[in-house]
Amino acid sequence: MNRSTWIAAFVLFSATVALSAGAQTVKVTPLGGIDGEFCPQDRALVFEDPNGTRILYDPGRTVAGGGDPRLGKIDIVLVSHMHGDHAGNAHNKAPNSGTCADPDMSVSAMPNSNAANIAIAKKSKIVTGSEMPPFFAAKLKANGGNPADSMLARFGGSVTVGGVRIATVTAMHSNGLDPDYIGGDLGKAMKDAGIAGDVGLPTGYVLRFSNGLVAYLSGDTGITADQELVVRNHYQAKLAVMNIGDGFTTGPAEAAYVINDLVRPASVIPSHANEVGTVGGKVRPGSKTEAFVKASKVPVHVPLSGKTMEFDAGGKCTAGC
Ligand SMILES: [Zn+2]
């Protein structure tokens, strides 16, 4: 080949590499209460990196334990904080049991949590921040798992697992550990006194996937300055999963302010609506979900259970939205 042919070949090769990197997407699949809907207890999302690493975020009560056939391979479990609707104090008997308005939460996951049971069944790592790792290490150890699979990513630090960099960020909320996780005389005494266990602060997450996409998972939180200073200015998140339920966390108006003025991602997935958000897969008129969709200045992709959405490095939904 002469010089110009080499240059042409190199340009073609570079363009192909750039194109394939750009075409790589992160797949996000909600594992909610009812297929095709956005229901009150829905928190669980599976993120699949282009390299195949699969991450389950806040299994909560809608994942039917470690045997839920929707899970597939799970490499990493994330738990933003220990409240029952996130760690999973109870869960569905099977996917789609109960109704959207009246979810089935009949199977107790105490004293382990749904998150720990899933991690044991799937031999996954559990990555948490704050002071939650020793709690999960103890649950893994007590149930035949490997305590070293409970890994720490405390505020400001990060850990990389399966090519995905995982950091925790602040969440303005609470994180009391239900004494039923402790059990025995101590658990009973704490319960009688109305005192929860201390496993440190609640968290949100920032994930950086191998295609370059940075996602912010709010966890349960109010409005925090870190959403601008840390999540936007430092991590530059392009996709956000934002709680909109009100009462326990930001409501639709507060969540829209966080998205429009603080984080400013390219897309947002609402979560934790604590209501029937959709009927027949369409946003329910008069719902908090509708209020958030109207108030957000960036595209809102409502998480319909079982429906996979794909996001490119810039946070734009390229399929399934
Ligand atoms: Zn909570």
Side-chain angles (χ1 to χ4, degrees):
M1 280 197 268
N2 64 26
R3 190 162 180 269
S4 60
T5 313
W6 272 112
I7 290 169
F10 179 75
V11 167
L12 188 68
F13 172 76
S14 305
T16 307
V17 168
L19 204 64
S20 61
Q24 287 188 329
T25 58
V26 172
K27 297 189 175 94
V28 183
T29 307
L31 301 185
I34 299 291
D35 283 351
E37 304 287 6
F38 181 37
C39 298
Q41 292 288 321
D42 291 10
R43 284 103 175 96
L45 299 172
V46 173
F47 292 86
E48 184 174 314
D49 189 274
N51 72 17
T53 297
R54 284 169 62 84
I55 301 174
L56 172 64
Y57 166 59
D58 279 358
R61 296 165 176 151
T62 61
V63 177
D68 189 320
R70 301 174 300 175
L71 283 172
K73 177 186 78 131
I74 295 294
D75 302 290
I76 304 158
V77 177
L78 306 178
V79 184
S80 62
H81 67 296
M82 292 308 309
H83 291 161
D85 55 324
H86 293 260
N89 57 349
H91 59 76
N92 286 2
K93 241 193 314 266
N96 300 304
S97 44
T99 64
C100 191
D102 186 17
D104 167 28
M105 301 183 280
S106 59
V107 180
S108 172
M110 301 306 265
N112 292 342
S113 77
N114 201 15
N117 286 337
I118 292 166
I120 291 161
K122 298 293 180 183
K123 297 186 166 37
S124 353
K125 312 283 187 202
I126 304 180
V127 179
T128 56
S130 199
E131 294 179 6
M132 293 179 273
F135 169 82
F136 284 112
K139 292 301 182 192
L140 294 179
K141 190 176 174 193
N143 292 280
N146 179 4
D149 283 344
S150 177
M151 302 169 68
L152 170 70
R154 196 165 284 150
F155 305 123
S158 66
V159 65
T160 300
V161 183
V164 181
R165 196 179 72 194
I166 302 167
T168 56
V169 291
T170 53
M172 198 65 81
H173 191 62
S174 64
N175 195 23
L177 184 75
D178 185 332
D180 284 349
Y181 285 113
I182 298 165
D185 290 342
L186 176 62
K188 187 181 179 310
M190 291 173 72
K191 202 167 189 174
D192 290 346
I195 296 171
D198 180 8
V199 285
L201 296 166
T203 70
Y205 286 94
V206 173
L207 310 179
R208 186 185 169 87
F209 295 95
S210 67
N211 69 339
L213 175 65
V214 178
Y216 166 55
L217 320 180
S218 75
D220 280 4
T221 186
I223 300 168
T224 76
D226 284 0
Q227 287 161 333
E228 179 175 15
L229 286 173
V230 178
V231 176
R232 175 173 138 216
N233 291 355
H234 179 70
Y235 291 113
Q236 302 179 353
K238 296 290 186 267
L239 170 66
V241 175
M242 189 70 212
N243 290 8
I244 65 163
D246 216 346
F248 301 95
T249 70
T250 44
E254 294 80 7
Y257 168 69
V258 170
I259 293 303
N260 295 341
D261 294 277
L262 303 184
V263 179
R264 296 194 197 167
S267 306
V268 59
I269 298 172
S271 186
H272 200 287
N274 290 354
E275 66 173 4
V276 174
T278 62
V279 176
K282 302 279 174 237
V283 172
R284 183 173 61 83
S287 63
K288 290 178 278 187
T289 303
E290 182 189 58
F292 179 70
V293 169
K294 285 181 173 167
S296 172
K297 291 178 184 160
V298 308
V300 177
H301 304 300
V302 176
L304 302 177
S305 183
K307 199 158 182 285
T308 299
M309 302 175 276
E310 297 188 38
F311 294 89
D312 66 13
K316 188 170 170 284
C317 184
T318 58
C321 293

